[in-house]
Amino acid sequence: MKREFWRHFDFWLFGGVVFLCVFGVLMIRSAIAGNVVLSGLVNRQIIYDLIGLAIILGLAMIDYHYWASISHIIYIGMFLLLGGVFVIGAVAFGSARWIETGLVNIQPSEIAKIVIILVLANYFHQNQDKPHDWRWIANSLIITAGLVIWILLQPNLSMSIVMFVLWFALIWLSGLPMKALWWFAGAGVVGPFA
């Protein structure tokens, strides 16, 4: 199984992640050079990077079919978590986006980006043989809006826009009809002036 895992492992993608982690640490170190108060941020970032890389390797060992099979459960859990942030989230700078655990603060909307990719990918896969009509588009939009509504209520407009960009990218890659694409383009042009 280990040999099979490494045969299909995307070393280029993982290498890109490692490069960005190292680059990020160097940028933080450069930005706080000479600042004694912030000197601990470099070590903290390195620890977070190592934990993140370990999580990547751990999750990569799990067959992606498993994640697809529980995508509905993950979606419901994310929906409830985002709703919980709206109710009990820590308020900072006029918005409630964080859950305080005592050790680290968690921003569920960041996790929601991964969840929406997983859930929409599963939806488009299961419906790839169905007509790519307005119902197909609307259903995927409803799935996305189910999470975005909580993010908008935090409020967090920038993350909401990112979620819709992810939705559009996935629906386009899944075979968005050219007619619908022109409708979206027209709405994008006319929308700001409406």
Side-chain angles (χ1 to χ4, degrees):
M1 181 172 176
K2 289 183 179 179
R3 188 176 298 174
E4 188 73 16
F5 166 73
W6 291 115
R7 184 181 302 151
H8 298 289
F9 188 76
D10 193 335
F11 289 98
W12 284 105
L13 180 60
F14 186 73
V17 173
V18 172
F19 172 79
L20 289 174
C21 288
V22 173
F23 183 76
V25 169
L26 292 175
M27 290 299 100
I28 293 173
R29 184 174 178 140
S30 173
I32 63 173
N35 191 322
V36 179
V37 177
L38 300 177
S39 60
L41 291 178
V42 175
N43 290 334
R44 189 175 74 172
Q45 184 63 38
I46 292 172
I47 292 171
Y48 286 161
D49 286 344
L50 292 175
I51 292 172
L53 292 172
I55 291 172
I56 288 173
L57 291 173
L59 293 178
M61 291 181 183
I62 301 173
D63 190 338
Y64 71 91
H65 292 99
Y66 171 74
W67 298 114
S69 68
I70 62 169
S71 62
H72 293 86
I73 298 172
I74 295 173
Y75 180 85
I76 293 170
M78 192 73 251
F79 181 87
L80 295 174
L81 186 59
L82 287 170
V85 171
F86 181 70
V87 176
I88 62 168
V91 178
F93 303 106
S95 61
R97 303 177 184 176
W98 305 85
I99 293 179
E100 295 180 345
T101 64
L103 182 62
V104 293
N105 292 337
I106 299 172
Q107 188 176 5
S109 57
E110 289 290 341
I111 305 171
K113 291 189 294 188
I114 301 171
V115 171
I116 202 64
I117 292 171
L118 174 66
V119 172
L120 286 176
N122 185 52
Y123 167 78
F124 290 131
H125 174 71
Q126 290 181 343
N127 294 277
Q128 60 184 341
D129 297 326
K130 294 182 180 179
H132 293 186
D133 53 12
W134 289 107
R135 178 180 294 180
W136 176 78
I137 296 170
N139 287 338
S140 66
L141 183 58
I142 290 169
I143 292 170
T144 307
L147 298 183
V148 172
I149 188 68
W150 288 116
I151 298 173
L152 278 172
L153 289 172
Q154 292 178 1
N156 191 344
L157 180 61
S158 60
M159 185 64 71
S160 301
I161 292 171
V162 169
M163 294 285 281
F164 280 121
V165 168
L166 289 173
W167 165 74
F168 186 79
L170 285 166
I171 199 171
W172 183 42
L173 291 172
S174 299
L176 181 68
M178 187 59 66
K179 181 180 179 181
L181 184 61
W182 284 113
W183 274 101
F184 281 125
V189 172
V190 175
F193 302 101

